[in-house]
Short mmCIF file of all heavy atoms in Angstrom, two decimals:
data_model
loop_
_atom_site.label_atom_id
_atom_site.label_comp_id
_atom_site.label_asym_id
_atom_site.label_seq_id
_atom_site.Cartn_x
_atom_site.Cartn_y
_atom_site.Cartn_z
N VAL A 207 73.54 4.99 14.94
CA VAL A 207 73.24 4.12 13.80
C VAL A 207 73.39 4.95 12.51
O VAL A 207 72.80 6.03 12.42
CB VAL A 207 71.80 3.61 13.93
CG1 VAL A 207 71.50 2.70 12.65
CG2 VAL A 207 71.54 2.81 15.21
N ALA A 208 74.11 4.44 11.59
CA ALA A 208 74.19 4.93 10.24
C ALA A 208 73.18 4.18 9.40
O ALA A 208 73.48 3.02 9.05
CB ALA A 208 75.59 4.78 9.65
N PRO A 209 72.00 4.72 9.12
CA PRO A 209 70.91 3.94 8.57
C PRO A 209 71.14 3.32 7.22
O PRO A 209 70.63 2.25 6.91
CB PRO A 209 69.79 5.00 8.47
CG PRO A 209 70.15 6.09 9.40
CD PRO A 209 71.66 6.13 9.38
N GLU A 210 71.97 3.93 6.38
CA GLU A 210 72.21 3.46 5.03
C GLU A 210 73.70 3.56 4.67
O GLU A 210 74.45 4.27 5.36
CB GLU A 210 71.44 4.29 4.02
CG GLU A 210 69.96 4.35 4.20
CD GLU A 210 69.27 5.28 3.24
OE1 GLU A 210 69.49 5.09 2.04
OE2 GLU A 210 68.53 6.13 3.66
N ASP A 211 74.11 2.89 3.65
CA ASP A 211 75.50 2.99 3.20
C ASP A 211 75.96 4.43 2.96
O ASP A 211 77.11 4.76 3.26
CB ASP A 211 75.72 2.14 1.97
CG ASP A 211 75.83 0.66 2.27
OD1 ASP A 211 75.82 0.29 3.48
OD2 ASP A 211 75.90 -0.13 1.32
N ARG A 212 75.05 5.26 2.41
CA ARG A 212 75.47 6.64 2.09
C ARG A 212 75.68 7.50 3.37
O ARG A 212 76.14 8.58 3.30
CB ARG A 212 74.41 7.29 1.21
CG ARG A 212 73.01 7.39 1.81
CD ARG A 212 72.06 8.06 0.86
NE ARG A 212 70.66 7.87 1.27
CZ ARG A 212 69.62 8.53 0.79
NH1 ARG A 212 69.86 9.46 -0.22
NH2 ARG A 212 68.40 8.33 1.15
N ASP A 213 75.30 6.91 4.53
CA ASP A 213 75.53 7.62 5.77
C ASP A 213 76.88 7.27 6.43
O ASP A 213 77.14 7.62 7.59
CB ASP A 213 74.40 7.26 6.75
CG ASP A 213 73.09 7.76 6.26
OD1 ASP A 213 72.99 8.86 5.79
OD2 ASP A 213 72.09 6.97 6.36
N SER A 214 77.76 6.60 5.66
CA SER A 214 79.05 6.18 6.16
C SER A 214 80.18 6.58 5.20
O SER A 214 79.95 6.38 3.97
CB SER A 214 79.09 4.71 6.44
OG SER A 214 80.41 4.27 6.77
N PHE A 215 81.28 7.03 5.64
CA PHE A 215 82.41 7.36 4.72
C PHE A 215 83.00 6.10 4.09
O PHE A 215 83.65 6.19 3.07
CB PHE A 215 83.49 8.15 5.45
CG PHE A 215 84.40 7.32 6.38
CD1 PHE A 215 85.60 6.86 5.91
CD2 PHE A 215 83.99 7.05 7.66
CE1 PHE A 215 86.43 6.09 6.73
CE2 PHE A 215 84.83 6.31 8.47
CZ PHE A 215 86.07 5.84 8.02
N ASP A 216 82.81 4.95 4.67
CA ASP A 216 83.41 3.71 4.20
C ASP A 216 82.47 2.53 4.37
O ASP A 216 82.68 1.68 5.26
CB ASP A 216 84.75 3.46 4.84
CG ASP A 216 85.50 2.22 4.21
OD1 ASP A 216 85.03 1.70 3.16
OD2 ASP A 216 86.52 1.80 4.82
N PRO A 217 81.41 2.49 3.65
CA PRO A 217 80.33 1.47 3.93
C PRO A 217 80.87 0.04 3.62
O PRO A 217 80.30 -0.90 4.21
CB PRO A 217 79.17 1.87 2.95
CG PRO A 217 79.86 2.68 1.92
CD PRO A 217 80.95 3.40 2.58
N VAL A 218 81.83 -0.08 2.75
CA VAL A 218 82.37 -1.39 2.40
C VAL A 218 83.28 -1.87 3.53
O VAL A 218 83.15 -2.95 4.07
CB VAL A 218 83.05 -1.42 1.03
CG1 VAL A 218 83.70 -2.81 0.78
CG2 VAL A 218 82.03 -1.04 -0.07
N GLY A 219 84.23 -1.08 3.85
CA GLY A 219 85.24 -1.38 4.85
C GLY A 219 84.63 -1.57 6.26
O GLY A 219 85.12 -2.33 7.05
N LEU A 220 83.54 -0.85 6.50
CA LEU A 220 82.91 -0.89 7.83
C LEU A 220 81.63 -1.76 7.86
O LEU A 220 80.95 -1.79 8.84
CB LEU A 220 82.53 0.58 8.25
CG LEU A 220 83.75 1.46 8.53
CD1 LEU A 220 83.31 2.91 8.72
CD2 LEU A 220 84.59 0.98 9.67
N LYS A 221 81.43 -2.47 6.81
CA LYS A 221 80.21 -3.36 6.77
C LYS A 221 80.20 -4.25 7.92
O LYS A 221 81.20 -4.92 8.28
CB LYS A 221 80.29 -4.18 5.43
CG LYS A 221 79.09 -5.09 5.25
CD LYS A 221 79.17 -5.83 3.89
CE LYS A 221 78.14 -6.91 3.74
NZ LYS A 221 76.76 -6.38 3.81
N ASP A 222 79.03 -4.39 8.55
CA ASP A 222 78.77 -5.27 9.67
C ASP A 222 79.51 -4.87 10.94
O ASP A 222 79.53 -5.61 11.96
CB ASP A 222 79.08 -6.71 9.32
CG ASP A 222 78.13 -7.25 8.24
OD1 ASP A 222 77.01 -6.78 8.23
OD2 ASP A 222 78.56 -8.08 7.44
N THR A 223 80.14 -3.70 11.02
CA THR A 223 80.74 -3.23 12.24
C THR A 223 79.72 -2.34 12.97
O THR A 223 78.67 -2.05 12.39
CB THR A 223 82.02 -2.43 12.01
OG1 THR A 223 81.74 -1.26 11.27
CG2 THR A 223 83.04 -3.24 11.23
N ILE A 224 80.05 -1.91 14.18
CA ILE A 224 79.13 -1.16 14.96
C ILE A 224 78.66 0.09 14.21
O ILE A 224 79.41 0.72 13.50
CB ILE A 224 79.67 -0.78 16.36
CG1 ILE A 224 78.56 -0.48 17.36
CG2 ILE A 224 80.74 0.28 16.25
CD1 ILE A 224 77.67 -1.55 17.67
N HIS A 225 77.38 0.47 14.35
CA HIS A 225 76.69 1.49 13.65
C HIS A 225 76.22 1.09 12.26
O HIS A 225 75.37 1.80 11.67
CB HIS A 225 77.53 2.77 13.52
CG HIS A 225 78.14 3.30 14.79
ND1 HIS A 225 77.43 3.42 15.98
CD2 HIS A 225 79.38 3.69 15.05
CE1 HIS A 225 78.25 3.88 16.91
NE2 HIS A 225 79.42 4.01 16.40
N HIS A 226 76.76 -0.01 11.72
CA HIS A 226 76.52 -0.40 10.35
C HIS A 226 75.81 -1.76 10.27
O HIS A 226 75.53 -2.24 9.18
CB HIS A 226 77.75 -0.53 9.53
CG HIS A 226 78.57 0.77 9.44
ND1 HIS A 226 79.27 1.25 10.50
CD2 HIS A 226 78.78 1.66 8.38
CE1 HIS A 226 79.93 2.41 10.11
NE2 HIS A 226 79.57 2.63 8.87
N THR A 227 75.53 -2.42 11.38
CA THR A 227 75.07 -3.77 11.29
C THR A 227 73.64 -3.86 10.82
O THR A 227 72.82 -2.94 10.91
CB THR A 227 75.11 -4.44 12.71
OG1 THR A 227 74.20 -3.78 13.60
CG2 THR A 227 76.53 -4.40 13.27
N VAL A 228 73.29 -5.04 10.33
CA VAL A 228 71.93 -5.27 9.81
C VAL A 228 70.92 -5.11 11.01
O VAL A 228 69.83 -4.54 10.77
CB VAL A 228 71.85 -6.73 9.25
CG1 VAL A 228 70.41 -7.09 8.93
CG2 VAL A 228 72.66 -6.84 7.99
N GLU A 229 71.28 -5.60 12.16
CA GLU A 229 70.42 -5.50 13.32
C GLU A 229 70.07 -4.07 13.71
O GLU A 229 68.95 -3.68 13.95
CB GLU A 229 71.00 -6.21 14.50
CG GLU A 229 71.16 -7.74 14.29
CD GLU A 229 72.54 -8.13 13.74
OE1 GLU A 229 73.19 -7.25 13.11
OE2 GLU A 229 72.97 -9.27 13.91
N GLU A 230 71.14 -3.23 13.76
CA GLU A 230 70.92 -1.78 14.09
C GLU A 230 70.09 -1.07 13.06
O GLU A 230 69.14 -0.35 13.39
CB GLU A 230 72.27 -1.09 14.21
CG GLU A 230 73.09 -1.53 15.42
CD GLU A 230 74.53 -1.07 15.30
OE1 GLU A 230 75.26 -1.56 14.40
OE2 GLU A 230 74.87 -0.19 16.08
N ARG A 231 70.39 -1.34 11.84
CA ARG A 231 69.64 -0.68 10.74
C ARG A 231 68.15 -1.19 10.74
O ARG A 231 67.25 -0.40 10.40
CB ARG A 231 70.29 -0.94 9.39
CG ARG A 231 71.59 -0.16 9.25
CD ARG A 231 72.32 -0.43 7.99
NE ARG A 231 73.47 0.54 7.79
CZ ARG A 231 74.31 0.60 6.77
NH1 ARG A 231 74.11 -0.32 5.77
NH2 ARG A 231 75.25 1.49 6.68
N ALA A 232 67.95 -2.41 11.10
CA ALA A 232 66.59 -2.91 11.12
C ALA A 232 65.76 -2.18 12.19
O ALA A 232 64.60 -1.90 12.06
CB ALA A 232 66.53 -4.42 11.34
N HIS A 233 66.44 -1.92 13.34
CA HIS A 233 65.72 -1.24 14.42
C HIS A 233 65.41 0.19 13.95
O HIS A 233 64.38 0.72 14.31
CB HIS A 233 66.63 -1.20 15.67
CG HIS A 233 66.44 -2.43 16.52
ND1 HIS A 233 65.29 -2.63 17.27
CD2 HIS A 233 67.24 -3.46 16.76
CE1 HIS A 233 65.41 -3.78 17.91
NE2 HIS A 233 66.60 -4.30 17.67
N PHE A 234 66.37 0.81 13.28
CA PHE A 234 66.06 2.21 12.72
C PHE A 234 64.82 2.15 11.78
O PHE A 234 63.95 2.97 11.89
CB PHE A 234 67.30 2.70 11.99
CG PHE A 234 67.18 4.16 11.59
CD1 PHE A 234 67.56 5.17 12.40
CD2 PHE A 234 66.59 4.47 10.30
CE1 PHE A 234 67.46 6.50 12.00
CE2 PHE A 234 66.51 5.80 9.95
CZ PHE A 234 66.91 6.85 10.77
N GLN A 235 64.83 1.16 10.87
CA GLN A 235 63.70 1.06 10.00
C GLN A 235 62.40 0.83 10.76
O GLN A 235 61.33 1.29 10.34
CB GLN A 235 63.93 -0.02 8.96
CG GLN A 235 64.99 0.32 7.97
CD GLN A 235 64.71 1.57 7.14
OE1 GLN A 235 63.56 1.73 6.71
NE2 GLN A 235 65.68 2.41 6.91
N SER A 236 62.45 0.04 11.82
CA SER A 236 61.21 -0.27 12.60
C SER A 236 60.69 1.03 13.24
O SER A 236 59.41 1.10 13.32
CB SER A 236 61.52 -1.31 13.66
OG SER A 236 62.30 -0.81 14.75
N LEU A 237 61.54 1.93 13.59
CA LEU A 237 61.04 3.27 14.10
C LEU A 237 60.31 3.97 12.95
O LEU A 237 59.23 4.56 13.18
CB LEU A 237 62.17 4.04 14.65
CG LEU A 237 62.75 3.62 15.95
CD1 LEU A 237 64.05 4.41 16.28
CD2 LEU A 237 61.75 3.76 17.12
N LEU A 238 60.87 3.99 11.76
CA LEU A 238 60.20 4.64 10.67
C LEU A 238 58.85 4.00 10.37
O LEU A 238 57.86 4.69 10.03
CB LEU A 238 61.08 4.60 9.43
CG LEU A 238 62.48 5.25 9.52
CD1 LEU A 238 63.14 5.18 8.14
CD2 LEU A 238 62.38 6.68 10.01
N GLN A 239 58.78 2.69 10.51
CA GLN A 239 57.54 1.96 10.19
C GLN A 239 56.43 2.30 11.20
O GLN A 239 55.24 2.01 10.93
CB GLN A 239 57.80 0.50 10.15
CG GLN A 239 58.58 0.11 8.94
CD GLN A 239 59.24 -1.31 9.07
OE1 GLN A 239 58.93 -2.06 9.96
NE2 GLN A 239 60.14 -1.61 8.11
N LEU A 240 56.79 2.93 12.34
CA LEU A 240 55.77 3.28 13.29
C LEU A 240 54.99 4.55 12.81
O LEU A 240 53.92 4.90 13.36
CB LEU A 240 56.41 3.68 14.62
CG LEU A 240 56.97 2.48 15.45
CD1 LEU A 240 57.66 2.99 16.73
CD2 LEU A 240 55.88 1.48 15.86
N GLY A 241 55.56 5.17 11.77
CA GLY A 241 54.98 6.42 11.28
C GLY A 241 55.80 7.63 11.49
O GLY A 241 55.35 8.76 11.73
N LEU A 242 57.16 7.39 11.44
CA LEU A 242 58.16 8.43 11.55
C LEU A 242 58.89 8.58 10.29
O LEU A 242 59.07 7.65 9.49
CB LEU A 242 59.14 8.19 12.71
CG LEU A 242 58.49 8.16 14.12
CD1 LEU A 242 59.52 7.64 15.12
CD2 LEU A 242 58.01 9.52 14.51
N THR A 243 59.39 9.80 10.04
CA THR A 243 60.16 10.04 8.80
C THR A 243 61.49 10.69 9.15
O THR A 243 61.52 11.62 10.01
CB THR A 243 59.34 11.00 7.86
OG1 THR A 243 58.15 10.28 7.43
CG2 THR A 243 60.21 11.33 6.60
N ASP A 244 62.56 10.26 8.50
CA ASP A 244 63.92 10.87 8.65
C ASP A 244 63.89 12.20 8.00
O ASP A 244 63.92 12.28 6.76
CB ASP A 244 64.95 9.91 8.06
CG ASP A 244 66.39 10.44 8.16
OD1 ASP A 244 66.59 11.55 8.54
OD2 ASP A 244 67.30 9.61 7.94
N ALA A 245 63.79 13.31 8.75
CA ALA A 245 63.61 14.63 8.14
C ALA A 245 64.78 14.99 7.18
O ALA A 245 64.54 15.67 6.19
CB ALA A 245 63.50 15.67 9.23
N TYR A 246 65.96 14.57 7.52
CA TYR A 246 67.16 14.97 6.65
C TYR A 246 66.94 14.39 5.25
O TYR A 246 67.39 15.00 4.28
CB TYR A 246 68.42 14.45 7.32
CG TYR A 246 69.62 15.01 6.70
CD1 TYR A 246 69.99 16.33 6.89
CD2 TYR A 246 70.47 14.20 5.85
CE1 TYR A 246 71.16 16.85 6.36
CE2 TYR A 246 71.61 14.77 5.32
CZ TYR A 246 72.01 16.05 5.56
OH TYR A 246 73.04 16.60 4.95
N ARG A 247 66.38 13.17 5.13
CA ARG A 247 66.30 12.48 3.86
C ARG A 247 65.01 12.95 3.11
O ARG A 247 64.75 12.40 2.02
CB ARG A 247 66.25 11.01 4.06
CG ARG A 247 67.67 10.49 4.43
CD ARG A 247 68.73 10.85 3.40
NE ARG A 247 70.02 10.30 3.77
CZ ARG A 247 71.16 10.82 3.28
NH1 ARG A 247 71.11 11.90 2.49
NH2 ARG A 247 72.31 10.34 3.68
N MET A 248 64.30 13.90 3.61
CA MET A 248 63.15 14.44 2.88
C MET A 248 63.63 15.42 1.80
O MET A 248 62.84 15.81 0.92
CB MET A 248 62.22 15.15 3.85
CG MET A 248 61.48 14.25 4.80
SD MET A 248 60.40 15.17 6.00
CE MET A 248 59.24 15.95 4.85
N PHE A 249 64.86 15.76 1.83
CA PHE A 249 65.42 16.80 0.89
C PHE A 249 66.71 16.26 0.23
O PHE A 249 67.40 15.38 0.73
CB PHE A 249 65.76 18.07 1.70
CG PHE A 249 64.60 18.59 2.47
CD1 PHE A 249 64.43 18.20 3.81
CD2 PHE A 249 63.68 19.43 1.93
CE1 PHE A 249 63.36 18.69 4.53
CE2 PHE A 249 62.58 19.88 2.62
CZ PHE A 249 62.41 19.49 3.94
N ASP A 250 66.97 16.81 -0.98
CA ASP A 250 68.22 16.55 -1.65
C ASP A 250 69.38 17.05 -0.74
O ASP A 250 69.32 18.25 -0.34
CB ASP A 250 68.26 17.20 -2.99
CG ASP A 250 67.33 16.55 -4.00
OD1 ASP A 250 67.00 15.33 -3.85
OD2 ASP A 250 66.86 17.22 -4.94
N GLN A 251 70.34 16.24 -0.48
CA GLN A 251 71.45 16.65 0.38
C GLN A 251 72.77 16.37 -0.32
O GLN A 251 72.84 15.49 -1.22
CB GLN A 251 71.42 15.83 1.66
CG GLN A 251 70.11 15.96 2.46
CD GLN A 251 69.91 17.30 3.13
OE1 GLN A 251 70.74 18.20 2.97
NE2 GLN A 251 68.84 17.46 3.90
N PRO A 252 73.80 17.05 0.00
CA PRO A 252 75.10 16.82 -0.61
C PRO A 252 75.55 15.40 -0.25
O PRO A 252 75.25 14.83 0.79
CB PRO A 252 76.03 17.83 0.12
CG PRO A 252 75.12 18.87 0.67
CD PRO A 252 73.85 18.20 0.98
N GLU A 253 76.30 14.81 -1.18
CA GLU A 253 76.92 13.47 -0.90
C GLU A 253 77.88 13.58 0.21
O GLU A 253 78.46 14.65 0.49
CB GLU A 253 77.60 12.95 -2.17
CG GLU A 253 76.64 12.57 -3.28
CD GLU A 253 77.38 11.92 -4.48
OE1 GLU A 253 78.62 11.67 -4.33
OE2 GLU A 253 76.75 11.66 -5.48
N LYS A 254 78.12 12.47 0.93
CA LYS A 254 78.98 12.38 2.08
C LYS A 254 78.66 13.47 3.10
O LYS A 254 79.54 14.19 3.56
CB LYS A 254 80.44 12.51 1.56
CG LYS A 254 80.82 11.36 0.65
CD LYS A 254 82.30 11.37 0.26
CE LYS A 254 82.65 10.21 -0.63
NZ LYS A 254 84.06 10.19 -1.05
N SER A 255 77.36 13.49 3.47
CA SER A 255 76.90 14.42 4.50
C SER A 255 76.89 13.65 5.82
O SER A 255 76.22 12.68 6.00
CB SER A 255 75.53 14.94 4.22
OG SER A 255 75.52 15.78 3.07
N PHE A 256 77.71 14.08 6.75
CA PHE A 256 77.90 13.37 8.01
C PHE A 256 77.62 14.30 9.21
O PHE A 256 77.67 15.52 9.04
CB PHE A 256 79.24 12.76 8.14
CG PHE A 256 79.60 11.85 6.92
CD1 PHE A 256 80.83 12.07 6.26
CD2 PHE A 256 78.77 10.87 6.51
CE1 PHE A 256 81.09 11.28 5.12
CE2 PHE A 256 79.07 10.07 5.41
CZ PHE A 256 80.27 10.30 4.74
N SER A 257 77.40 13.76 10.37
CA SER A 257 77.21 14.59 11.60
C SER A 257 78.23 14.23 12.67
O SER A 257 78.25 14.91 13.70
CB SER A 257 75.82 14.29 12.12
OG SER A 257 75.63 12.93 12.54
N TRP A 258 79.04 13.22 12.46
CA TRP A 258 80.09 12.82 13.51
C TRP A 258 81.36 12.48 12.73
O TRP A 258 81.37 11.88 11.65
CB TRP A 258 79.59 11.61 14.20
CG TRP A 258 80.68 11.02 15.15
CD1 TRP A 258 81.00 11.43 16.42
CD2 TRP A 258 81.67 10.03 14.77
NE1 TRP A 258 82.04 10.63 16.90
CE2 TRP A 258 82.46 9.81 15.88
CE3 TRP A 258 81.84 9.30 13.62
CZ2 TRP A 258 83.51 8.85 15.92
CZ3 TRP A 258 82.87 8.39 13.61
CH2 TRP A 258 83.69 8.14 14.75
#
Side-chain angles (χ1 to χ4, degrees):
V207 179
E210 303 176 52
D211 282 355
R212 58 180 169 168
D213 297 314
S214 172
F215 76 94
D216 185 9
V218 176
L220 294 172
K221 181 178 172 62
D222 296 328
T223 64
I224 200 65
H225 310 312
H226 300 74
T227 65
V228 171
E229 294 91 339
E230 291 167 292
R231 289 178 169 180
H233 275 289
F234 186 90
Q235 290 300 318
S236 75
L237 287 171
L238 300 185
Q239 290 163 9
L240 290 177
L242 296 170
T243 298
D244 182 348
Y246 192 73
R247 289 302 178 203
M248 292 176 63
F249 305 93
D250 291 333
Q251 304 287 3
E253 291 186 5
K254 298 184 178 180
S255 293
F256 307 128
S257 63
W258 172 89

